[in-house]
Amino acid sequence: MENVSKIFNKKTKALQNVNMEFKKNKITGLIGFNGSGKTTTFNILTNFIESYKGTVTFDGKKINKNIRQKISYLSAGAEPRNPMRTITHLYQMASLYQVKKSKAKKIIYDLSKKIDFTQFLKKPIKSLSKGNQQKIKFISILLNPNVEILFLDEPFDGLDPIMVNKIKKIFMEMKNTTIIVTSHRMNVVQEMCDDFYILKDGILIDKKKTSESKIYVSFNKEIPIKKIKLLNYVSNIKKTNKEIILEIKDIKDFKKLNKLLISLNQFVWCSIKEKNIAESVFEGYGE
Ligand SMILES: Nc1ncnc2c1ncn2[C@@H]1O[C@H](COP(=O)(O)OP(=O)(O)OP(=O)(O)O)[C@@H](O)[C@H]1O
Ligand SMILES: [Mg+2]
């Protein structure tokens, strides 16, 4: 996306000169406050919104029918209170993608098995709980046989933590797919994404890499600072009244550190504060 701006009703600036790049076959997160323009970005990228300023290209080309076929879009919001049976709805989705019923059946049942959904397939959509309705969207987007780009707008909405993990894993295993995801669940964004962008009120304010994550370990004051300063894997040392906080990059280093301290002191008291950078991006904004 280059210099993309979108104004609704001549006054609401939903996006202002936004530049973003999404890497092929990687997972990119798009995060930001409510109303910051995430869904608008998705609607522009998928061509649901056609009138906007700026340029959007896929591999250097403007969106066309060929590219559109490779896109699946899981949109946010509630499922319609649809009286149709779930399986009938999914077969209809499959027919839109021109997938034969027998092939669709296999995809639907295989996916349903993975996400504990089989028992709901023959029930009417409107009788399903919110989280189970969300699973219908998940199955629908994967019925597209040509999918190469997945837009996921709040895909984990309403799902229980076990299901979030299962579905997150399935997305992470899709190595030949470019995934762009929005979520307000920062820990999931952190675990899932290779990169993420932060939007604030329609302006792109930051780009981060999730690998920048650091780990802070706090110790009681009995640890030998002089010896610790010599350790190359401890990148920062901070003292407070009650504790000493060390910054390390890898949890493996924590094990080394702990072993050393135990050998010197017999025992240590410590706690790990994993710095979640996805969460930290909200610190200081919006005040
Ligand atoms: N169809 C529309 N008509 C008028 N204004 C709109 C329309 N769609 C979005 N907006 C406005 O554009 C801005 C961005 O909205 P958008 O839905 O893209 O935010 P979002 O980041 O997806 O928020 P959320 O986290 O709540 O999903 C908001 O001010 C919103 O009110
Ligand atoms: Mg949204």
Side-chain angles (χ1 to χ4, degrees):
M1 294 174 72
E2 257 182 292
N3 271 322
V4 171
S5 298
K6 173 69 193 171
I7 300 178
F8 285 107
N9 307 324
K10 294 185 182 159
K11 53 177 196 287
T12 311
K13 288 180 180 166
L15 292 176
Q16 297 179 62
N17 296 317
V18 174
N19 289 289
M20 278 190 265
E21 203 180 287
F22 303 99
K23 291 192 194 114
K24 198 167 187 160
N25 298 342
K26 296 277 180 199
I27 306 181
T28 308
L30 194 53
I31 62 178
F33 299 105
N34 296 128
S36 59
K38 302 178 298 294
T39 300
T40 304
T41 302
F42 275 18
N43 287 337
I44 287 173
L45 290 171
T46 52
N47 218 213
F48 271 97
I49 291 176
E50 287 176 280
S51 91
Y52 58 90
K53 273 195 192 153
T55 333
V56 173
T57 49
F58 292 81
D59 279 336
K61 290 185 212 85
K62 286 217 161 161
I63 194 159
N64 54 35
K65 200 178 161 201
N66 184 31
I67 294 165
R68 206 174 289 142
Q69 282 176 347
K70 297 176 184 172
I71 293 176
S72 271
Y73 183 8
L74 186 155
S75 57
E79 276 293 316
R81 304 301 283 170
N82 196 327
M84 198 183 280
R85 280 204 310 169
T86 304
I87 187 85
T88 316
H89 169 75
L90 288 169
Y91 284 146
Q92 275 189 359
M93 293 301 296
S95 76
L96 291 176
Y97 290 126
Q98 290 168 358
V99 175
K100 279 195 191 135
K101 199 171 171 183
S102 56
K103 198 178 165 202
K105 189 173 179 181
K106 183 165 172 19
I107 300 170
I108 293 166
Y109 277 86
D110 284 354
L111 282 173
S112 296
K113 211 171 156 190
K114 286 188 187 166
I115 58 169
D116 309 331
F117 192 63
T118 318
Q119 69 269 39
F120 301 105
L121 286 171
K122 292 194 173 146
K123 297 199 165 148
I125 294 178
K126 68 173 181 185
S127 74
L128 265 49
S129 69
K130 181 181 154 128
N132 281 324
Q133 289 193 13
Q134 187 72 5
K135 292 183 195 173
I136 301 175
K137 295 196 217 169
F138 169 75
I139 297 172
S140 300
I141 54 160
L142 298 184
L143 283 168
N144 179 359
N146 308 309
V147 67
E148 283 181 26
I149 309 164
L150 268 183
F151 289 95
L152 308 172
D153 199 358
E154 295 288 344
F156 308 109
D157 201 16
L159 297 178
D160 67 57
I162 291 163
M163 203 44 63
V164 169
N165 269 333
K166 280 190 184 173
I167 290 186
K168 180 190 78 192
K169 255 190 168 165
I170 297 173
F171 288 136
M172 290 174 79
E173 281 163 8
M174 298 177 67
K175 297 290 177 209
N176 296 319
T177 314
T178 306
I179 299 179
I180 305 161
V181 55
T182 78
S183 179
H184 294 293
R185 293 173 191 244
M186 290 305 121
N187 57 335
V188 183
V189 175
Q190 174 97 4
E191 285 157 20
M192 200 176 150
C193 299
D194 303 295
D195 264 343
F196 59 87
Y197 287 102
I198 305 145
L199 279 173
K200 183 181 186 300
D201 299 335
I203 301 172
L204 182 66
I205 47 170
D206 221 340
K207 182 187 175 186
K208 305 240 176 189
K209 268 202 181 132
T210 44
S211 57
E212 283 165 12
S213 169
K214 286 171 190 155
I215 300 156
Y216 296 94
V217 195
S218 75
F219 291 92
N220 59 355
K221 291 184 81 174
E222 309 305 312
I223 59 170
I225 292 254
K226 270 186 196 163
K227 281 207 167 86
I228 284 168
K229 276 186 179 162
L230 300 173
L231 304 171
N232 58 4
Y233 54 82
V234 174
S235 45
N236 206 357
I237 302 173
K238 205 176 126 193
K239 275 193 200 176
T240 71
N241 284 344
K242 291 187 201 127
E243 56 186 3
I244 294 172
I245 300 170
L246 307 182
E247 185 186 301
I248 54 173
K249 287 203 176 71
D250 197 315
I251 198 72
K252 282 184 208 138
D253 295 331
F254 171 67
K255 285 179 190 154
K256 273 193 270 178
L257 182 69
N258 225 7
K259 223 171 163 184
L260 170 78
L261 290 170
I262 288 170
S263 74
L264 293 170
N265 277 11
Q266 305 295 319
F267 71 93
V268 288
W269 167 90
C270 72
S271 69
I272 300 180
K273 306 171 177 186
E274 194 137 357
K275 182 75 176 163
N276 189 326
I277 57 155
E279 225 155 64
S280 75
V281 300
F282 283 98
E283 284 165 18
Y285 295 129
E287 272 134 29

